[in-house]
Amino acid sequence: MWKKSFLVFLFSLSVQKAALGCERLRKPNEFPSPRLRSQTETVMRGQNVSLSCFQQNISLEITYFLFRGEKCLQTQDGKGEPMTFNLTVSEAHDLGPYKCKVQVANCSKYSHPFNFTFADPVTAPVLNISVIQAKTDRYITLRCISFNGSLPIDYIFFEKNITISPVISRDVRKPAEFNITESNTAEVKEYRCKAKNKLPDHAKYSQPVTIPSTGGDCGPFCLQLLLPGLLLVLIVVILILAFWMLPKYKARKAMKASAPRVYGNTPMEAGIYANLCENQADEKPVPGLEPNQCVSSAQDGAEYSQEIHYAAPMFQQVAPRDQENSNNSKGGYVYSELVF
């Protein structure tokens, strides 16, 4: 009986010591509540994240528990450094709430709840620029919008790589606008914009848009005056060339129409040449001369004989004719006969 009483006494003593230890640890400086943090609260579906649980008392041997709702997910023991829990957020129930529990002996404390939120990354924004030209200045309106991505979206405008606007936030799907007034200049201007939401590593930039130079103060107005004049000069030059070329074209066309068409040996050519070989067939050959040589060509469709006669002239002295031996002759003559 006394043994049982002794065991009850030892148990009550250990409970009292544990109670005294918890009372001591419950002091704010001895055993504060842990803090549960993550590098980002906004995640995409399927993203891997890390939760860090930290207890300020670095001298205690602490057991860390990670809960999602009422379910304990992981347990780790450590001393003097934060405990990191890695997990994947894929479904809606993975968003939380999460809590971290630290325990020393029989004393434990919980952190504040932590929740994730889903977000879709922004797509590359589209930059539109409208310009109103005045005599000495021009008024530029920049409009930037990303058509996809979770709201709110923050926009920033740049001239080349220099920020020219504050952060413009949009909670609805409409473009952010930024107005610029600048003097006319010959310098080419290049603008772009950036869009980002709560996903820190998914900011997107638009394609650069260039505004051409105005060429000085009179640039746009001089251009407006010169364009009609240039078009008029171009039309006049085209008309002059047309009226100058047309008569020559007609004359050349008429000349081609009136000129005979030559396809080999034509009837016109055949009429020039006589068939000398046939005419000389009945003539007697001249003593001492070689026979005449004739070269015949093929006949065309009109059946003209197309023969070319080649001959070498020979001279021969002959007696004077009777009609020339008249009294009126004052001198002698020497005659020759040209023979082909």
Side-chain angles (χ1 to χ4, degrees), residues 131-180:
V131 180
I132 299 176
Q133 188 68 56
K135 186 175 182 180
T136 59
D137 297 325
R138 58 182 178 181
Y139 304 96
I140 303 172
T141 300
L142 308 177
R143 295 182 178 88
C144 183
I145 183 172
S146 178
F147 293 100
N148 294 291
S150 299
L151 299 171
I153 299 177
D154 296 332
Y155 297 93
I156 302 176
F157 294 91
F158 299 86
E159 181 180 336
K160 292 186 178 178
N161 295 323
I162 301 174
T163 303
I164 59 174
S165 75
V167 177
I168 303 174
S169 184
R170 288 288 182 264
D171 295 326
V172 293
R173 193 78 62 185
K174 70 176 184 178
E177 294 186 2
F178 185 70
N179 297 314
I180 305 172

Side-chain angles (χ1 to χ4, degrees), residues 220-258:
F221 299 99
C222 293
L223 188 61
Q224 292 176 5
L225 294 175
L226 287 176
L227 279 178
L230 292 175
L231 291 176
L232 182 60
V233 170
L234 183 61
I235 293 173
V236 170
V237 170
I238 293 174
L239 291 176
I240 291 174
L241 290 176
F243 284 110
W244 181 65
M245 295 292 293
L246 187 61
K248 291 189 175 183
Y249 173 75
K250 289 183 177 180
R252 183 175 296 179
K253 187 175 181 181
M255 186 181 297
K256 288 183 179 180
S258 61

Side-chain angles (χ1 to χ4, degrees), residues 105-124:
N106 293 328
C107 297
S108 60
K109 286 190 175 182
Y110 288 86
S111 67
H112 293 291
F114 182 90
N115 290 276
F116 291 104
T117 56
F118 278 137
D120 296 323
V122 296
T123 55

Side-chain angles (χ1 to χ4, degrees), residues 33-261:
S33 297
R35 291 178 296 176
L36 185 62
R37 293 181 178 179
S38 178
Q39 293 182 349
T40 177
E41 296 181 4
T42 306
V43 297
M44 297 184 297
R45 292 183 182 274
Q47 181 175 337
N48 296 322
V49 295
S50 297
L51 286 170
S52 177
C53 185
F54 178 68
Q55 225 293 329
Q56 292 182 353
N57 194 325
I58 61 175
S59 62
L60 299 176
E61 189 72 28
I62 301 174
T63 302
Y64 295 85
F65 301 87
L66 179 66
F67 289 85
R68 185 181 64 215
E70 300 298 328
K71 181 179 180 181
C72 180
L73 300 178
Q74 299 181 34
T75 302
Q76 296 185 26
D77 294 326
K79 178 180 179 181
E81 59 183 11
M83 286 294 106
T84 301
F85 302 94
N86 298 315
L87 55 135
T88 302
V89 180
S90 301
E91 304 295 336
H93 66 269
D94 295 329
L95 297 175
Y98 293 90
K99 285 186 178 183
C100 175
K101 174 186 174 182
V102 292
Q103 182 172 339
V104 177
N106 293 328
C107 297
S108 60
K109 286 190 175 182
Y110 288 86
S111 67
H112 293 291
F114 182 90
N115 290 276
F116 291 104
T117 56
F118 278 137
D120 296 323
V122 296
T123 55
V126 178
L127 177 63
N128 292 316
I129 299 179
S130 61
V131 180
I132 299 176
Q133 188 68 56
K135 186 175 182 180
T136 59
D137 297 325
R138 58 182 178 181
Y139 304 96
I140 303 172
T141 300
L142 308 177
R143 295 182 178 88
C144 183
I145 183 172
S146 178
F147 293 100
N148 294 291
S150 299
L151 299 171
I153 299 177
D154 296 332
Y155 297 93
I156 302 176
F157 294 91
F158 299 86
E159 181 180 336
K160 292 186 178 178
N161 295 323
I162 301 174
T163 303
I164 59 174
S165 75
V167 177
I168 303 174
S169 184
R170 288 288 182 264
D171 295 326
V172 293
R173 193 78 62 185
K174 70 176 184 178
E177 294 186 2
F178 185 70
N179 297 314
I180 305 172
T181 301
E182 62 179 22
S183 59
N184 292 323
T185 177
E187 183 182 358
V188 177
K189 299 288 187 177
E190 181 182 283
Y191 298 95
R192 62 176 181 162
C193 65
K194 180 177 77 171
K196 69 173 184 177
N197 55 11
K198 291 184 177 181
L199 291 172
D201 299 327
H202 293 80
K204 299 291 184 180
Y205 288 87
S206 69
Q207 293 294 326
V209 178
T210 301
I211 298 180
S213 63
T214 58
D217 291 343
C218 103
F221 299 99
C222 293
L223 188 61
Q224 292 176 5
L225 294 175
L226 287 176
L227 279 178
L230 292 175
L231 291 176
L232 182 60
V233 170
L234 183 61
I235 293 173
V236 170
V237 170
I238 293 174
L239 291 176
I240 291 174
L241 290 176
F243 284 110
W244 181 65
M245 295 292 293
L246 187 61
K248 291 189 175 183
Y249 173 75
K250 289 183 177 180
R252 183 175 296 179
K253 187 175 181 181
M255 186 181 297
K256 288 183 179 180
S258 61
R261 297 182 180 180

Side-chain angles (χ1 to χ4, degrees), residues 264-279:
N265 294 326
T266 61
M268 182 181 296
E269 293 174 343
I272 297 175
Y273 303 98
N275 193 342
L276 301 178
C277 292
E278 292 181 359
N279 294 336

